[in-house]
Amino acid sequence: MKEVPGEPPRRHRRDPEGHRAAILEAARHAFAERGYARTTLRDIARRAGVTHGLISRHFSSKERLFLAAVPGNRDLERIVAGDPATLPDRIAHGFVQRMETDAVNDPLVALLRSAASDERTAAHLLVAMQESSVAVYRSVLSPDAPGEPGDDLDTRIALLGSHLMGVTFSRYIARTEPLASMPPERLTEHLTRTLRHILFD
Amino acid sequence: MKEVPGEPPRRHRRDPEGHRAAILEAARHAFAERGYARTTLRDIARRAGVTHGLISRHFSSKERLFLAAVPGNRDLERIVAGDPATLPDRIAHGFVQRMETDAVNDPLVALLRSAASDERTAAHLLVAMQESSVAVYRSVLSPDAPGEPGDDLDTRIALLGSHLMGVTFSRYIARTEPLASMPPERLTEHLTRTLRHILFD
């Protein structure tokens, strides 16, 4: 939304959906740039051009704002829904598409950076997010589905998450080759293959 | 080595091997605690109880000291040497054994933390280390060995490295369950299985 110089931007007065979107976008950028712990609601308010109070009205805490800014369980549920046999394809495709769109501003990347550099809150938040993802995966991968080892299901889901975090780190954070400059389609193929083995082996 | 109060510790005068070991141990702790960029040779000298000049005599730069402190290519060569068919078992076993021994002070963990939190030097160093590991893996996994896809070899090695980094992150840094409290033997089994698929699928 373009702002007219000299006039308060319209969304500030009568566009709650516009506010919400502006706050979420500002939050994604701020978390990505400064990490979870060092980002304040005040930073985000300034970036979004709204008041601190308005943020509080939309999101009750920094943690809630963060969770809202992360591509959430609703996206994951959409990706995960469907035939379990082709789940690895959908996860690989969804992951690559999301990261290729905007890895630098991805809140999960921010959280990975923050948790790695010893921010305890970030690590806890990451754990919480992983646990809620596990619940979504479990809804499709029921332990009694054929060909899936019940006991190990949580472990397999955790290894899948670890694999995606490792690839995120190599390709989008440290940018090591050959992963960093691999075409997205090739990466999707490799991930599909590996995730399939991790889940169904 | 015990130090006698009031006397300079013996190793300082006539134990170059003792110096070297003390410097390396101090370096591992310092890098692990403070990350790569924020650690100075002066910190390390103080911890090791030696002079800055002595460190320079043993290691010409911080980068070289870091590389010497990392479980290096010699360890990796020892692990990798042998039948390619059982390489995944050896890598999984070597990795778990090393991390279980002292993940908190492992220089690779330090580098992973530092690179994640946006230290460019650390990211470059990580890239350099990965490249030298790739050379070691390639020495065993020749592209024309049966059952191994030549073109993809570097990609597979990179995915293997990413998987190990992701697991390191989950189990030893963010400590997410169920990986964090899995018995080492179980983790070794899972890694062996996954690494086998990543390399040989």
Side-chain angles (χ1 to χ4, degrees), chain A residues 186 190 193, chain B residues 138 141-157 196-201:
Chain A
R186 290 284 293 138
H190 278 290
R193 172 176 70 82
Chain B
R138 284 195 79 100
L141 297 167
S142 78
D144 36 81
E148 289 149 25
D151 276 356
D152 280 346
L153 186 54
D154 283 355
T155 301
R156 287 168 185 263
I157 293 171
R196 181 178 308 283
H197 285 301
I198 290 177
L199 286 178
F200 301 129
D201 178 41

Side-chain angles (χ1 to χ4, degrees), chain A residues 57-74:
Chain A
R57 236 173 298 152
H58 280 274
F59 306 95
S60 57
S61 66
K62 185 167 88 167
E63 184 174 332
R64 290 208 167 266
L65 173 53
F66 182 89
L67 291 173
V70 173
N73 280 355
R74 212 184 297 173

Side-chain angles (χ1 to χ4, degrees), chain A residues 32-33 111-119 123 126-127 130-131 134 152 154-156 158-163 165-167 169-171 173-179 182 186-187 190-191 193-194 197-201, chain B residues 32-33 111-119 123 126-127 130-131 134 152 154-156 158-163 165-167 169-171 173-179 182 186-187 190-191 193-194 197-201:
Chain A
E33 271 179 38
L111 209 51
L112 194 60
R113 285 184 186 279
S114 300
S117 65
D118 232 357
E119 292 179 7
L126 194 66
V127 169
Q130 287 205 343
E131 281 168 4
V134 167
D152 280 348
D154 283 354
T155 302
R156 287 168 185 264
L159 288 169
L160 180 149
S162 298
H163 191 72
M165 287 200 295
V167 170
F169 188 82
S170 299
R171 179 174 169 98
I173 297 177
R175 299 181 199 281
T176 60
E177 294 298 349
L179 294 186
M182 177 177 288
R186 290 284 293 138
L187 180 65
H190 278 290
L191 285 181
R193 172 176 70 82
T194 306
H197 283 303
I198 290 176
L199 285 179
F200 300 129
D201 174 42
Chain B
E33 271 179 38
L111 209 53
L112 193 61
R113 285 182 184 280
S114 301
S117 64
D118 234 356
E119 293 179 9
L126 194 66
V127 170
Q130 287 204 342
E131 282 168 2
V134 167
D152 280 346
D154 283 355
T155 301
R156 287 168 185 263
L159 288 170
L160 179 148
S162 298
H163 191 71
M165 286 198 298
V167 170
F169 189 81
S170 299
R171 179 173 168 99
I173 297 177
R175 300 182 197 279
T176 60
E177 295 297 350
L179 293 187
M182 178 178 287
R186 288 286 294 139
L187 180 65
H190 278 289
L191 285 180
R193 172 176 69 83
T194 307
H197 285 301
I198 290 177
L199 286 178
F200 301 129
D201 178 41

Side-chain angles (χ1 to χ4, degrees), chain A residues 118, chain B residues 27-35 39 103-107 109-110 113:
Chain A
D118 232 357
Chain B
R28 272 191 282 272
H29 285 271
F31 286 130
E33 271 179 38
R34 301 178 51 79
T39 298
V104 174
N105 290 308
D106 194 284
V109 172
R113 285 182 184 280

Side-chain angles (χ1 to χ4, degrees), chain A residues 46-178:
Chain A
R46 196 169 31 235
R47 269 175 190 266
V50 303
T51 62
H52 185 283
L54 190 69
I55 294 192
S56 303
R57 236 173 298 152
H58 280 274
F59 306 95
S60 57
S61 66
K62 185 167 88 167
E63 184 174 332
R64 290 208 167 266
L65 173 53
F66 182 89
L67 291 173
V70 173
N73 280 355
R74 212 184 297 173
D75 296 285
L76 189 59
E77 276 165 20
R78 190 177 43 73
I79 289 170
V80 164
D83 182 2
T86 53
L87 180 62
D89 311 62
R90 295 196 300 281
I91 296 172
H93 193 263
F95 166 81
V96 172
Q97 193 170 48
R98 166 179 158 191
M99 286 295 163
E100 293 302 313
T101 309
D102 194 10
V104 173
N105 289 309
D106 195 285
L108 259 184
V109 172
L111 209 51
L112 194 60
R113 285 184 186 279
S114 300
S117 65
D118 232 357
E119 292 179 7
R120 297 216 156 196
T121 338
H124 288 156
L125 212 43
L126 194 66
V127 169
M129 287 181 50
Q130 287 205 343
E131 281 168 4
S132 76
S133 310
V134 167
V136 178
Y137 286 120
R138 285 195 78 102
S139 69
V140 173
L141 298 166
S142 75
D144 37 79
E148 288 148 26
D151 276 355
D152 280 348
L153 186 54
D154 283 354
T155 302
R156 287 168 185 264
I157 293 171
L159 288 169
L160 180 149
S162 298
H163 191 72
L164 293 181
M165 287 200 295
V167 170
T168 300
F169 188 82
S170 299
R171 179 174 169 98
Y172 302 104
I173 297 177
R175 299 181 199 281
T176 60
E177 294 298 349

Side-chain angles (χ1 to χ4, degrees), chain B residues 79-146:
Chain B
I79 289 169
V80 164
D83 182 2
T86 52
L87 180 63
D89 312 61
R90 295 197 300 282
I91 295 172
H93 193 262
F95 166 81
V96 172
Q97 193 171 46
R98 166 180 156 191
M99 285 296 163
E100 294 301 314
T101 308
D102 194 10
V104 174
N105 290 308
D106 194 284
L108 258 183
V109 172
L111 209 53
L112 193 61
R113 285 182 184 280
S114 301
S117 64
D118 234 356
E119 293 179 9
R120 297 215 157 199
T121 338
H124 289 157
L125 211 45
L126 194 66
V127 170
M129 286 182 49
Q130 287 204 342
E131 282 168 2
S132 77
S133 309
V134 167
V136 177
Y137 287 120
R138 284 195 79 100
S139 68
V140 174
L141 297 167
S142 78
D144 36 81

